[in-house]
Amino acid sequence: QKEVEQDPGPLSVPEGAIVSLNCTYSNSAFQYFMWYRQYSRKGPELLMYTYSSGNKEDGRFTAQVDKSSKYISLFIRDSQPSDSATYLCAMSLYNFNKFYFGSGTKLNVKP
Amino acid sequence: GAVVSQHPSWVICKSGTSVKIECRSLDFQATTMFWYRQFPKQSLMLMATSNEGSKATYEQGVEKDKFLINHASLTLSTLTVTSAHPEDSSFYICSAGRTSGGKDEQFFGPGTRLTVL
């Protein structure tokens, strides 16, 4: 069983839709949860960073962590064509520890 | 702030040659740097973790003698792929860690695409 599971997609939505991206994990000791956005042939860009359970909002992005279910989500409101990218979840036991990445979900927002 | 650069952005080399990739944190000092490899349509796989002035810690299955890592300063780490072969062709990405506002973060470079002929 992989440490982190993520549906690879692709996920195709119309512009303006609410997008829900999810990851599940098996190690209950994970404490730090991140979402990265990666455009084709580019390095990942940090979008959201969450410690432990709860919600965090930043503009059109909301990250949720449910440690009891070992499930994390990223919601994108009013999605834009510029949001089209691959979204990677990542988690770690403690800071500067090894990151465990999901396989990434490819999102396509159609104009 | 928090910009990480990599050089070169892409490189093509012949089988058997060595290739050096540089990773620099441009506007902050990175106590820890990480090197990842990403194959097409796959996620990032951590290769090694390096701290300035000490030996890198390699992940299981990564050959230390093939992938040489030097973390010479708080702003520079290098990865040298020695005796490269076609199966080493991949997208290599570094990240640099810093502490800001009590939070530790990793910032990724733009990646280096290596093609070994």
Side-chain angles (χ1 to χ4, degrees), chain B residues 44-84:
Chain B
L44 285 75
M45 298 299 296
L46 180 66
M47 300 175 66
T49 303
S50 73
N51 293 290
E52 184 261 342
S54 61
K55 289 185 179 180
T57 301
Y58 290 81
E59 292 299 301
Q60 191 172 12
V62 178
E63 299 175 57
K64 301 178 184 181
D65 295 331
K66 182 169 183 62
F67 299 99
L68 301 179
I69 292 173
N70 184 5
H71 195 158
S73 75
L74 287 173
T75 60
L76 173 64
S77 176
T78 60
L79 168 68
T80 301
V81 183
T82 62
S83 186

Side-chain angles (χ1 to χ4, degrees), chain B:
Chain B
V3 178
V4 177
S5 70
Q6 275 185 246
H7 178 79
S9 55
W10 59 270
V11 57
I12 301 173
C13 68
K14 292 182 179 180
S15 185
T17 60
S18 294
V19 174
K20 180 186 281 188
I21 303 170
E22 291 186 352
C23 176
R24 293 181 185 273
S25 56
L26 298 183
D27 51 1
F28 67 99
Q29 294 185 326
T31 51
T32 306
M33 286 188 170
F34 305 83
W35 286 96
Y36 295 82
R37 180 166 51 182
Q38 186 177 35
F39 292 105
K41 298 187 179 182
Q42 293 187 28
S43 191
L44 285 75
M45 298 299 296
L46 180 66
M47 300 175 66
T49 303
S50 73
N51 293 290
E52 184 261 342
S54 61
K55 289 185 179 180
T57 301
Y58 290 81
E59 292 299 301
Q60 191 172 12
V62 178
E63 299 175 57
K64 301 178 184 181
D65 295 331
K66 182 169 183 62
F67 299 99
L68 301 179
I69 292 173
N70 184 5
H71 195 158
S73 75
L74 287 173
T75 60
L76 173 64
S77 176
T78 60
L79 168 68
T80 301
V81 183
T82 62
S83 186
H85 289 93
E87 58 266 29
D88 298 323
S89 297
S90 187
F91 194 47
Y92 291 86
I93 306 175
C94 72
S95 74
R98 75 164 187 185
T99 300
S100 177
K103 182 174 68 175
D104 294 335
E105 302 169 310
Q106 280 193 37
F107 295 93
F108 285 82
T112 297
R113 185 159 301 280
L114 169 64
T115 301
V116 184
L117 302 176

Side-chain angles (χ1 to χ4, degrees), chain A residues 4 9 14 16 27 32 34 45 49 67 70 75 92 97 102 110:
Chain A
V4 182
N27 190 342
Y32 297 89
M34 287 70 65
E45 169 194 12
Y49 179 110
K67 292 190 74 178
K70 297 179 192 169
F75 297 96
S92 68
N97 187 243
K110 298 175 291 185

Side-chain angles (χ1 to χ4, degrees), chain A residues 38-53:
Chain A
Q38 186 177 24
Y39 292 109
S40 182
R41 299 175 179 265
K42 301 290 185 183
E45 169 194 12
L46 179 66
L47 281 177
M48 301 288 284
Y49 179 110
T50 310
Y51 170 68
S52 195
S53 283

